[in-house]
Amino acid sequence: SMDFLHPGIPLNYLSAISLNFLPENLSTEKIIHISRALILFINGILIYVGSRLVLKQELICTFALYAVLFLFPAGFFLLDNLSPNSILFGLSVLTVAVGSLVQRNISINMALFSFLLGLALAVKYIAIVLAIPLAVSLVFERDSRSAQEHHLFKIFSFMILITGISFSIFSWPMLPFLPYIFTHHGFIFTDFEIFMQSNGFIALAFLSIIASITLIVSLYSALIHLALSNLYRNVCIFLLICFSIIFLVQLMSFESLMSLG
């Protein structure tokens, strides 16, 4: 079982349900193999539904997603130990696909997106990045300037409520331990002292802040004129580029696929 830092509880549910249909006593190795096969099959289904049925993409695009699933360490390689990463790839494809259908009003698509986001968070908290494209799109969409502020607040309240309910359902066994998350990763003051003692680090931090402010202003000027669907797509592309760069940089510093994944 997982802990409150990486819940992964839906993986336990799926594995346990599948094993209930097998009457024989299974070794640990067989349990892992059966669970891996089930998770891989579910990944394939989620990718197909998101790509072909929701986004109406060509079959070649779906096969490209399958290729990434098999090549990316956190998508396939880490199935060996049933890491929470093992199902996030397919679930993320479906969640992002449904997010592309969400409009600036409370709807079934918005509820479905929030439900899937809560499920993904119950697998691993890093899934919160899936909410960034839709949140940015709703805030910076060109019609938002004429929309009433309370309407946007109502939309975000609805999404947070559904996401919270979904997360609570799938993470019910570990909900009492959630407060420990805020105490687990504390700030170490000595790290800041070492940072402040280096003029190079201070200069780098200053330049990074200036560059970030410039980038945010530039992005705001570019995004404010886009429609909701184009804005959502562009933010997804931007995040994909950022994560790809991070992945390529880290690729040089790890000795094994396991540590990279």
Side-chain angles (χ1 to χ4, degrees):
S1 61
M2 304 299 174
D3 56 27
F4 60 88
L5 292 178
H6 302 292
I9 294 178
L11 294 178
N12 292 346
Y13 291 158
L14 292 172
S15 299
I17 291 173
S18 64
L19 293 174
N20 281 334
F21 293 98
L22 303 174
E24 61 178 322
N25 293 326
L26 301 173
S27 64
T28 302
E29 184 179 12
K30 287 185 178 180
I31 290 175
I32 293 178
H33 286 169
I34 293 172
S35 300
R36 288 184 65 187
L38 175 67
I39 298 301
L40 186 59
F41 174 76
I42 293 176
N43 263 301
I45 294 296
L46 295 177
I47 291 172
Y48 185 85
V49 172
S51 176
R52 294 284 289 166
L53 303 184
V54 178
L55 295 178
K56 312 293 184 183
Q57 291 180 330
E58 297 292 335
L59 191 59
I60 186 65
C61 296
T62 307
F63 279 119
L65 289 170
Y66 285 139
V68 176
L69 170 66
F70 281 98
L71 290 174
F72 187 58
F76 178 71
F77 185 78
L78 283 183
L79 280 171
D80 183 56
N81 57 4
L82 288 182
S83 161
N85 297 306
S86 59
I87 199 174
L88 275 184
F89 190 95
L91 186 57
S92 298
V93 170
L94 179 59
T95 304
V96 172
V98 173
S100 67
L101 303 179
V102 174
Q103 299 297 320
R104 196 183 168 83
N105 60 323
I106 296 177
S107 62
I108 297 297
N109 290 330
M110 184 174 290
L112 180 58
F113 173 85
S114 302
F115 173 82
L116 292 173
L117 179 61
L119 172 58
L121 288 173
V123 175
K124 199 169 185 179
Y125 301 127
I126 192 62
I128 192 64
V129 299
L130 299 176
I132 295 177
L134 185 57
V136 173
S137 302
L138 292 174
V139 171
F140 290 104
E141 193 249 338
R142 63 185 181 186
D143 294 334
S144 64
R145 287 168 292 178
S146 60
Q148 297 180 354
E149 291 184 3
H150 77 273
H151 181 59
L152 186 61
F153 176 78
K154 183 168 62 176
I155 289 176
F156 279 116
S157 298
F158 174 80
M159 293 177 61
I160 293 173
L161 175 63
I162 300 299
T163 300
I165 293 175
S166 175
F167 173 81
S168 300
I169 292 174
F170 291 108
S171 298
W172 184 257
M174 50 73 64
L175 282 182
F177 300 98
L178 279 180
Y180 290 104
I181 296 175
F182 303 102
T183 64
H184 190 270
H185 297 291
F187 291 104
I188 303 176
F189 187 71
T190 55
D191 293 340
F192 289 98
E193 289 182 343
I194 296 174
F195 178 83
M196 295 302 295
Q197 290 174 357
S198 173
N199 293 330
F201 280 137
I202 295 176
L204 181 61
F206 178 76
L207 292 176
S208 299
I209 293 173
I210 298 299
S212 300
I213 294 175
T214 304
L215 179 61
I216 292 173
V217 173
S218 301
L219 286 176
Y220 177 81
S221 302
L223 295 179
I224 198 67
H225 302 293
L226 296 177
L228 186 63
S229 58
N230 292 330
L231 185 56
Y232 182 83
R233 186 183 301 109
N234 288 350
V235 175
C236 287
I237 293 174
F238 175 76
L239 288 177
L240 180 60
I241 293 174
C242 291
F243 292 139
S244 299
I245 293 175
I246 294 173
F247 172 76
L248 292 175
V249 170
Q250 291 184 337
L251 186 63
M252 307 300 177
S253 59
F254 288 94
E255 297 179 355
S256 67
L257 282 176
M258 177 67 77
S259 57
L260 177 62

